[in-house]
Amino acid sequence: MKEWYQKDCMVCTRLKIVLLLIVTVSVSACYFALQTLQAAPKGNAAVPRYIFLFIGDGMGAAQVELSSALLHDAQSFTMTSLPVLGMATTHAADRFITDSAAAGTALATGWKTTVGTISMEGNHLDTLRTIAEMAKAKGMKVGIVSSVGIDDATPACFYAHNATRKNVYDIAVQMASSGFDYFGGGYSVGNFPENQAKTKVFRGDIADLMHSSHYVIARNTTELKAVKPGTPCWAYTDYDAKGALSFAMDRRNEEIDLAEFTREGIRLLYNPKGFFMMVEGGKIDWACHANDATAAAHDIKAFEKAIGEAFAFYQRHPGETLLVVTADHECGGLTLGRRANGYETRLDLLHHQNVSQQRFSEKVSAWKKQGAVTFPMALDSVKVYFGPGNVEADSSLALSEADRNMLQEAYTATMRADFSGTQHIDAFTPAVSALLNNRAGIGWNSNAHTAVPVQVFAIGRGAEAFTGFYDNTDIANKIMQIAKLKRPAR
Ligand SMILES: [Zn+2]
């Protein structure tokens, strides 16, 4: 009896195990099928339909942390909240420290080239196809946005091919022949008369060429908002002497900011076949060249706001969007800490600076023309626009005798220097800015780029491929692989 019972029980157990296995396999299959259905883009499985590549020019990890600590308080940045993090080396084919042309070529084509070259091989004979061109060939729409001139090195690397970034007019001409759908941000420096005059082959005014290629030109918010989706558009806003947007901290309300260029770009490019959009925070680099920490922090915040627009789009299309944020190189050798300050930082002192170095330098230039601003008057301006000397606000801003002497020397040298046209050598503004940066405990090691690897943040379809440590050429290669973009033989 006992034996029979035991035997029956074993049969039951076996049956139960088989049944359990069947149920487990079925449930798992259903679960994975559901997961795939939820995540896959409608129509084309596993390929992102909407691709964003954000490039913070000159934006190293120290720059990101500076901006976050100075301007965001408890609120975290979108870019640093993205789930995937990688790092990329940035060297050029011929130099350890790269420039925006070689780095832009790496990010746009997946190939190393020489410094100064725009999406061509280092031999300057062969052009390199860009991911933007590959996306266009696949039927996607393409948008290129930058806070500096639209024919500056980084944006140029996505639509143009030239032996040198200096040929800005020839680069701008290629904007009109690119067939891309949206250009937004700074003006075309190549279209400045002095640059038109430099070209070997003048093909006409860039605006005329853009019109002939059926681009609508929008010069302000109202005009940009009136452009209908699907219409090819070149949009710019008020620009400075170098064709760039104002530094974010100097921007007037009526000027279009990087976030609006991005938002409107998304509106114009959105279509069932998808789009590729590159957005550059170009003035971060300019601020870092000048060692202007406050301006860099504000421009990163503006860049962050633009990323926020793409992130909001990602949230509406999570299974169909890939968002990648990186930098082309670090600039300025920025460190958060300084030998003379030890463990002390006073980043909050940077809040006393309320104009960029560029804007302050324009004032210094005006003083020089007027010849009526004395050194004590100049010191008053320093106090108002940068903070040093404003002991009423903070005793840490006090000027020592040595500081005063140093500033007076820089002021005298600046006022004495030859003045010709718009060019003027200004030793005073950098001296004022350095004084504030030193007090804040910020260290700058260079006025040029550095070879420090840069961070890569990513989210969305295929984003996990961006984990790890790799070369900047791999960023383009990964995008090509994930989006199944057709790369021609080299
Ligand atoms: Zn630079």
Side-chain angles (χ1 to χ4, degrees):
M1 184 77 177
K2 199 181 174 190
E3 211 171 294
W4 175 87
Y5 172 82
Q6 277 179 333
K7 202 177 174 185
D8 184 59
C9 187
M10 275 176 75
V11 171
C12 280
T13 310
R14 276 178 194 163
L15 267 171
K16 274 179 194 164
I17 289 169
V18 170
L19 271 171
L20 194 71
L21 271 170
I22 291 169
V23 169
T24 312
V25 168
S26 310
V27 167
S28 306
C30 287
Y31 174 77
F32 284 117
L34 262 173
Q35 284 285 95
T36 317
L37 268 177
Q38 270 177 354
K42 292 154 218 156
N44 198 355
V47 174
R49 201 187 299 221
Y50 309 107
I51 302 167
F52 291 95
L53 177 60
F54 279 79
I55 303 172
D57 202 311
M59 187 186 73
Q63 280 83 347
V64 175
E65 178 60 13
L66 168 71
S67 183
S68 173
L70 187 67
L71 301 172
H72 270 241
D73 303 324
Q75 219 188 353
S76 77
F77 269 3
T78 301
M79 64 175 125
T80 50
S81 75
L82 302 185
V84 175
L85 173 67
M87 282 203 99
T89 49
T90 66
H91 58 279
D94 59 339
R95 206 172 66 190
F96 187 47
I97 299 179
T98 194
D99 81 322
S100 291
T105 299
L107 294 170
T109 72
W111 295 109
K112 289 286 186 199
T113 194
T114 48
V115 165
T117 308
I118 302 292
S119 288
M120 287 188 86
E121 295 234 33
N123 63 13
H124 293 168
L125 297 172
D126 304 311
T127 61
L128 299 168
R129 203 162 162 80
T130 77
I131 46 176
E133 290 166 335
M134 292 174 208
K136 187 70 200 168
K138 202 184 164 191
M140 297 162 84
K141 287 195 184 293
V142 173
I144 304 294
V145 175
S146 176
S147 56
V148 297
I150 200 67
D151 40 20
D152 203 82
T154 308
C157 282
F158 286 82
Y159 66 84
H161 307 273
N162 203 289
T164 167
R165 59 186 290 174
K166 289 179 190 159
N167 290 339
V168 273
Y169 173 81
D170 303 332
I171 288 168
V173 166
Q174 295 179 62
M175 217 180 21
S177 59
S178 66
F180 289 3
D181 303 273
Y182 177 62
F183 291 95
Y187 187 66
S188 159
V189 179
N191 209 31
F192 288 172
E194 66 270 27
N195 290 325
Q196 286 186 350
K198 277 184 204 158
T199 183
K200 283 185 192 143
V201 189
F202 182 68
R203 294 171 200 276
D205 186 271
I206 299 299
D208 293 341
L209 295 178
M210 291 300 273
H211 277 304
S212 309
S213 297
H214 310 292
Y215 285 88
V216 166
I217 298 180
R219 293 156 302 176
N220 53 52
T221 301
T222 316
E223 290 181 2
L224 179 53
K225 286 200 158 127
V227 182
K228 295 205 165 60
T231 313
C233 173
W234 175 27
Y236 55 85
T237 186
D238 291 356
Y239 50 87
D240 66 12
K242 290 177 181 167
L245 268 60
S246 299
F247 278 109
M249 67 182 300
D250 300 331
R251 191 180 71 87
R252 291 171 298 118
N253 276 342
E254 58 269 32
E255 294 171 29
I256 309 176
D257 69 357
L258 201 62
E260 191 172 352
F261 278 118
T262 305
R263 186 168 63 246
E264 290 302 313
I266 293 170
R267 182 179 68 80
L268 297 177
L269 297 175
Y270 183 58
N271 79 99
K273 286 190 171 173
F275 62 70
F276 169 83
M277 194 172 185
M278 190 289 295
V279 180
E280 186 207 15
K283 289 206 87 166
I284 300 164
D285 182 62
W286 295 17
C288 294
H289 277 289
N291 291 177
D292 187 343
T294 316
H298 281 275
D299 260 71
I300 289 172
K301 191 182 176 184
F303 182 59
E304 204 7 69
K305 201 175 152 206
I307 295 167
E309 295 292 340
F311 185 71
F313 180 87
Y314 158 80
Q315 286 178 312
R316 295 195 296 274
H317 308 270
E320 302 177 291
T321 306
L322 170 65
L323 167 58
V324 180
V325 181
T326 189
D328 53 354
H329 50 71
E330 197 274 345
C331 181
L334 175 66
T335 55
L336 307 180
R338 196 173 158 263
R339 181 176 288 123
N341 303 51
Y343 287 98
E344 296 301 318
T345 51
R346 282 293 310 274
L347 297 186
D348 60 302
L349 292 178
L350 296 174
H351 286 303
H352 291 279
Q353 181 186 340
N354 48 46
V355 292
S356 70
Q357 271 198 41
Q358 183 179 312
R359 191 53 56 85
F360 190 76
S361 190
E362 285 160 14
K363 290 181 198 298
V364 175
S365 172
W367 301 347
K368 201 165 164 176
K369 272 187 201 159
Q370 294 159 6
V373 175
T374 61
F375 179 61
M377 287 159 77
L379 277 188
D380 279 342
S381 282
V382 169
K383 196 169 148 181
V384 170
Y385 295 110
F386 266 80
N390 189 358
V391 283
E392 299 83 6
D394 198 312
S395 58
S396 299
L397 292 168
L399 291 177
S400 67
E401 206 182 321
D403 294 332
R404 219 174 267 270
N405 290 342
M406 183 273 292
L407 287 178
Q408 183 146 26
E409 219 168 276
Y411 167 84
T412 310
T414 303
M415 293 301 142
R416 264 198 210 132
D418 286 341
F419 185 86
S420 55
T422 53
Q423 292 287 317
H424 83 115
I425 297 156
D426 175 10
F428 188 61
T429 305
V432 169
S433 181
L435 201 64
L436 179 66
N437 279 243
N438 291 350
R439 292 286 162 87
I442 300 278
W444 291 99
N445 195 46
S446 176
N447 284 104
H449 305 160
T450 71
V452 181
V454 294
Q455 61 289 328
V456 184
F457 307 109
I459 193 169
R461 167 76 33 189
E464 58 284 352
F466 291 90
T467 308
F469 191 83
Y470 40 84
D471 186 57
N472 58 1
T473 49
D474 291 328
I475 296 173
N477 293 333
K478 285 173 196 294
I479 292 175
M480 282 176 224
Q481 242 171 13
I482 295 162
K484 294 195 167 53
L485 297 177
K486 244 200 202 143
R487 173 189 214 161
R490 202 180 184 191

